[in-house]
Each structure stands twice: as C-alpha cells, then as structure tokens.
C-alpha cells in the first residue's frame, strides 16, 4: 500500500450557489491506494496514479464520483474516500451546543413559584408578602438547581418581583447599597493582590513548613488561628474574606489543588468547607466576633432587662465552642476527606520554596502593610468611627494607587461580581419578607403552636430552638434573622418557664451557628463558596449534617457546662 498525504491549503474549484468566491479548504487527508510494493510519491508520473489525483480535484467529483477513466480507478477513489472518512484524521464539525438555561432545573424553579403563588394566602399574611415568598422560594430553588449561574438566577428573581409589582425597583435593588455584599466583593479583590504578589504563597509555605506533615494538622492550624483573631475582628466577612480566604486559596494552590482541573478534592474542598464551618463556630464564641452579636445582647436587655457582658458570653461559649472546633474538622475529614492526607516531605519542600523566593518584594511589602492597616482598622475602627467596609475600601484604594492591583483586574474578578449580585438580591427579598410582616406572622404562629402543646419548658425550648435555627434557610443575614425573630422567641421561651438569661444566651449562640446551613446564611458563606472548590449540593448537605452535630454539641456538652456554671 502506498499512502499519500494531502496536507495543503488550496482553493477549491467548487462554487457555492450563493457566492462566486472560491472556498478555501484547510485539511489533512490521508488516502491509501493499492499499488506495487514500490513507494509512490505525489510527484510520480505513474499513469495509474495521475488520473486519480486529477479526479480528486475535478469539479465533477461531487456530482457523480465518476470520470471517463476506467472503472478500476473509480473503485479506487471510492475506497480512498471511505478510508479517509474512517481514519482518525477525519473530524466531523462539532455540533453546536445549547448555551441557554438548563431546561429541567428552570422548569422546577418556575413551577415552585407558580404553585405557591396560587395557593390561597393564609389569614394574617398580606398578598404582597405571599407573592414575594413565592418568588423568593422559586429563586432559592433556582440557586440550588442552577439552571443558570447564581447571579443570573437572582437577577431574574428581582426582575420577577418588579414585573409583578411585588416590589418597586428601588426596593428590589436596595441591598446593593448594603455594606456586607460589597465587603464580600472587596475581599475577592484583596485576595487577588495577596496571591498575585506572591505574599499568599510565602505565608502558605510558612504554614506548610510548620504544620504541613498532615492535611488535618494544616486544617487545625488555620481553624485555631481564625478563632484567636475572632474576638479582635468583629466582622466574620472581613475576617474570613480579608485574611483567611486568600491564605487558604494560596495553600490549596501551593499543594497542587486547583479549581477546574479535577484536583479540587486533593485538599481544597475539605479545607474550604472546614474553614467556613468553623468560622461560624468562632463567631458564636465571643460577643465581638460577629457584627450581629451586640444586637442579640441589646434585644436581650430590651426584653428581659438583663445585660450580656463580654466575659459572660465567652465563659458560657468557651467549652462547647472548643468542642465544636475540634469535632467539626475531624468529622468533615472523615465524610469529605482530602485525597492527600499526609505528606512527610511537605515541610522540607516548603522550606526549599521559601529559599527560592528570596526576600519579600516591594509589592509584597505593600500588600502586607495594607493588610496590617486594614486589620488594625477592623480591630480599632469602632473608636475611630470607621466601619469594616470603609476600612476595606481604604485598603483597596492603596493597592490600586500603588499599582499592586489594577482596576482591570478587579473587573475581571467575575466571581466577586456574581457573588455581589446574588447575595444582594437575596438580602433584599429576605428583608422585604420581614417588612411585609411574613416573619412576624411566622413567629407568632410558632409561638402559639408550641405554647399550646403543654410540654415541659425543656421540651418546649428545644422545639423553639429547632424552629428558630432551621428557619434560617429563609434569611440571607444573621442580623435580619435576629432582628425579626429573636425577641419573639425569647419572650415565649421565658413565658413557658425557660430561665430568661439562659434562653437569651442559647438563642444568641445559635444565631451564629445557623449561618453554616447555606451558602448565603452568613457573611463568610458566599466568600468561601465563591472560591468554587465545593459543589453547591455538597455545601448544603454537609451544612445540614454539621448543623445537627453542632446542635448536639452545644445543647449536650454545652448544657452540662451551663448547668455547672449555674445558668439553669
């Protein structure tokens, strides 16, 4: 057999009926002909070969695949074309893929909203509140099933609320003026500079050098580092996004665990989920560890005229909090394990990497100084009347002015803008569910139901806690949940015989822990979820499982501890 490769770009003599311009064809075609044992080249003068090439380039070929040559040449051509079609080099043009929404998830989302929309409105609930609830739940279903990216689903939810006159345009987009979504977006911009300059890798290699013999040891070092910073930085969004997200991402990359290349489970998935779930635990341990905690203390004083002090809060939370910080990473390590569990050579390799990096560059120094300034303002900003998002904007401004991060790079952070969009949309809808009176109606209904059961205060309080905790699926903010339901549930618990101060503390602790349920329930959730290491289904399922474990620890171990210190 002799093989002739036609590897050329040539102008075809065939003309399109719609155009007189020749079509340019770029192809590589391998064709075999039965010949003698001698090798035949395309330039050969063989009489049997020349007509065949002529036929292949003939304008008449597409019409009949025949010429005036012999029948044997015609058979050769047919065999050649068949061989070319079946050869590995013959590539069919790819079918155009659908770029729109996934149809089944879209139908599920819309059906949820439509069905609930036409359910009769319960007594005591306004029409607007019920309609907004149907749109909100349809949006949540869309966010879970993801017929489109999260930002697009949330934007469609806002569009539906405006189209149906359920919300005005200004009301639907009001949360884009809320500081929390912007603080989350700013955290992604900070992370860009942290990683771009190499400072993130430098710190990551230091952590690996000290704790990197095992993935579990590395995780615990991050968990307790975050817990130590918690009482000093009163914003879980700032703490997680400004400090730990860049560090965790750098650690993942340094250990060869990247997004999009199939190595997420190597380390990143477990580490991201662990750092998120423990961030809600550390937030519950100190009065100053989460921005909404002082609100719980304030509502407690307004309701039962008792003050929750910083020391009282920490004393009550320290034992169950430490137990959760120990158990939760280990639990996730068992049920959602990293593929790389131990690496004895990691500390040595990290030391070598640090030696190759040399001294800190100028840009690294700028980022480090800016981070110290921003963290300092987060810690002492209350005395200077500077809030967390203002401090973050100041820090980003320094990075932009010095050129460490460019505005073009900020615009290219698609995850930041997508997270800003869907988180602000959920905050707006959840906020207006409260303003329209749906949350107060729900609280009153629960209170009447539990109060009418005639149970002991312990059982009644347990039911109240579960209802309070898992109703957080309907909230995109811990502060909104506390503001809407804390007072009502504390009042009923006290009326049913629960020690008031004890009830207030437990409700305050759970007001943080419930943030681990979803990817939007607390400020750190969209930050860690936005890193894209953990699929949404696993985020929710493991979030529910960890919530059960946390409740058992806090009401079990915590209950014994609270009894020992005289809270009940």
């Amino acid at each position: 057999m002799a093989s002739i490769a036609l590897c050329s770009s040539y102008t075809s003599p065939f003309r399109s009926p719609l155009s007189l311009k020749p079509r340019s064809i770029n192809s590589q075609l391998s064709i075999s002909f039965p010949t003698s044992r001698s090798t035949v080249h395309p330039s050969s003068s063989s009489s049997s070969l020349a007509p065949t090439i002529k036929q292949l380039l003939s304008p008449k070929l597409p019409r009949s695949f025949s010429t005036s040559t012999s029948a044997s040449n015609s058979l050769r051509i047919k065999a050649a074309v068949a061989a070319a079609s079946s050869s590995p080099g013959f590539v069919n043009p790819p079918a155009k893929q659908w770029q729109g929404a996934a149809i089944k998830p879209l139908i599920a989302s819309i059906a949820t909203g439509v069905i609930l929309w036409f359910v009769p409105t319960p007594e005591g609930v306004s029409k607007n509140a019920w309609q907004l609830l149907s749109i909100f739940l349809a949006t949540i279903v869309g966010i879970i099933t993801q017929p489109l990216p999260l930002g697009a689903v949330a934007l469609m939810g806002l569009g539906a609320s405006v189209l149906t006159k359920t919300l005005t345009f200004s009301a639907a987009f009001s949360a884009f003026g809320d500081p929390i979504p912007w603080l989350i977006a700013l955290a992604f911009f900070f992370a860009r500079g942290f990683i771009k300059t190499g400072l993130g890798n430098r710190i990551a290699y230091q952590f690996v050098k000290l704790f990197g013999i095992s993935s579990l040891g590395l995780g615990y070092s991050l968990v307790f580092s975050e817990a130590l910073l918690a009482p000093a930085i009163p914003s879980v969004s700032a703490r997680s996004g400004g400090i730990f997200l860049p560090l965790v991402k750098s650690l993942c990359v340094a250990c060869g665990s990247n997004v999009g290349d199939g190595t997420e489970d190597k380390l990143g998935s477990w580490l991201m989920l662990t750092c998120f779930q423990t961030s809600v635990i550390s937030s519950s341990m100190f009065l100053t560890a989460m921005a909404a905690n002082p609100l719980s203390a304030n509502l407690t004083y307004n309701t039962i005229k008792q003050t929750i002090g910083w020391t009282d809060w920490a004393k009550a939370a320290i034992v169950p909090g430490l137990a959760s910080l120990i158990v939760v990473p280990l639990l996730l390590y068992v049920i959602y394990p990293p593929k790389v569990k131990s690496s004895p050579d990691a500390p040595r390799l990290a030391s070598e990497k640090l030696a190759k990096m040399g001294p800190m560059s100028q840009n690294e120094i700028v980022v480090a100084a800016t981070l110290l300034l921003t963290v300092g303002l987060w810690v002492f900003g209350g005395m200077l009347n500077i809030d967390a998002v203002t401090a973050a904007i100041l820090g980003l401004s320094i990075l932009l002015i010095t050129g460490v991060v460019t505005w073009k790079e900020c615009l290219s952070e698609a995850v930041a803008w997508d997270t800003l969009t869907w988180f602000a949309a959920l905050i707006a809808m959840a906020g207006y569910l409260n303003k329209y009176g749906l949350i107060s109606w729900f609280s009153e209904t629960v209170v009447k139901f539990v109060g009418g059961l005639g149970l002991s205060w312990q059982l009644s309080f347990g039911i109240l806690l579960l209802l309070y905790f898992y109703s957080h699926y309907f909230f995109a903010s811990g502060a909104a949940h506390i503001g809407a339901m804390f007072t009502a549930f504390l009042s009923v618990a006290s009326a049913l015989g629960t020690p008031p101060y004890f009830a207030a503390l437990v409700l305050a602790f759970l007001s943080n822990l419930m943030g681990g349920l979803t990817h939007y329930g607390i400020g750190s959730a969209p930050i860690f979820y936005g890193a894209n290491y953990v699929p949404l289904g696993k985020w929710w399922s493991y979030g529910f499982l960890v919530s059960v474990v946390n409740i058992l620890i806090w009401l079990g171990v915590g209950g014994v501890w609270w009894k020992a210190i005289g809270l009940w």
Side-chain angles (χ1 to χ4, degrees), residues 117 128-129 131-132 135 160-168 436:
W117 183 283
N128 267 3
Q131 290 177 348
L132 183 57
I135 295 172
S161 66
V162 174
L163 181 66
T164 58
K165 309 298 182 184
T166 304
L167 292 176
T168 64
Y436 284 167

Side-chain angles (χ1 to χ4, degrees), residues 155-440:
L155 194 63
M156 290 170 63
L158 291 182
S161 66
V162 174
L163 181 66
T164 58
K165 309 298 182 184
T166 304
L167 292 176
T168 64
F169 183 88
S170 59
F173 288 86
S174 59
F176 284 87
D178 189 287
I180 298 300
W182 285 102
L183 185 59
I184 292 167
L186 290 166
F188 284 99
F189 303 152
F190 259 92
R192 164 74 73 141
F194 201 75
I195 294 172
K196 173 186 174 183
T197 60
L199 180 62
N201 282 340
R202 186 180 297 276
I203 298 175
Y205 288 137
Q206 289 286 3
F207 264 82
V208 174
K209 179 181 176 181
L210 295 173
F211 310 105
I213 292 179
S214 70
S215 297
L216 191 60
L218 194 62
Y220 274 122
S221 69
L222 290 170
V223 166
F224 284 99
S225 297
E226 196 270 343
L228 287 173
L229 289 176
I233 302 176
S235 169
V236 67
S237 303
R239 195 166 67 245
S240 299
I243 301 174
F244 284 92
L245 174 69
L247 177 56
V248 174
K249 286 181 72 174
S250 297
L251 277 169
C252 294
V253 172
C255 295
S257 183
N258 302 293
V259 174
D261 64 357
T263 60
E264 295 90 346
D265 290 345
K266 190 173 182 180
L267 177 66
S269 299
W270 171 76
L271 200 57
M272 285 288 177
L273 194 57
T274 295
C275 287
F276 164 62
Q277 287 294 343
T278 52
S279 74
V280 303
I281 298 169
S282 60
S283 295
S284 67
M285 292 174 66
F286 306 99
L287 178 61
T288 53
M290 208 268 265
N293 287 348
L295 176 60
S296 298
N298 183 59
L299 292 177
T300 296
Y301 181 79
N302 292 339
T303 306
I304 63 174
K305 303 304 178 185
Q306 289 183 270
T307 302
I308 300 178
W310 193 96
T311 304
D312 293 336
W313 184 302
K315 180 181 177 181
I318 192 69
V319 170
L322 288 174
S324 283
L325 288 178
I326 293 170
V327 170
V328 168
L330 188 59
L331 171 69
L332 290 173
Y333 188 81
V334 172
I335 63 175
Y336 193 37
K339 290 182 178 177
V340 176
K341 294 183 172 62
S342 63
S343 49
D345 293 332
R348 177 182 57 81
L349 295 173
S351 297
E352 293 175 0
K353 291 283 188 180
L354 286 170
K356 288 181 180 178
M357 292 184 75
M360 289 178 65
S361 66
Q362 182 178 341
N363 281 349
E364 284 182 87
I365 294 172
V366 170
V367 173
T370 303
L371 184 61
L372 287 174
L373 172 64
T374 306
V375 171
L377 290 175
W378 285 337
V379 175
F380 302 107
M383 294 184 289
L384 302 173
N385 199 27
I386 299 176
D387 59 25
V389 70
T390 303
I393 291 174
L394 176 61
L396 178 64
S397 299
I398 294 172
L399 298 182
L400 290 171
I401 290 170
T402 56
V404 173
V405 174
T406 67
W407 184 241
K408 187 175 182 180
E409 288 172 331
C410 292
L411 291 176
S412 69
E413 284 288 337
V415 173
W417 299 109
D418 187 58
T419 303
L420 170 66
T421 301
W422 66 257
F423 195 52
L426 292 185
I427 288 177
M429 285 191 277
Y432 272 88
L433 284 175
N434 186 30
K435 289 182 180 180
Y436 284 167
L438 183 73
I439 303 302
S440 59

Side-chain angles (χ1 to χ4, degrees), residues 77-102:
I77 295 170
K78 292 179 180 178
V81 172
S85 300
S86 61
S87 69
F90 189 86
V91 179
N92 289 319
K96 190 173 181 180
Q97 294 184 345
W98 170 249
Q99 299 295 316

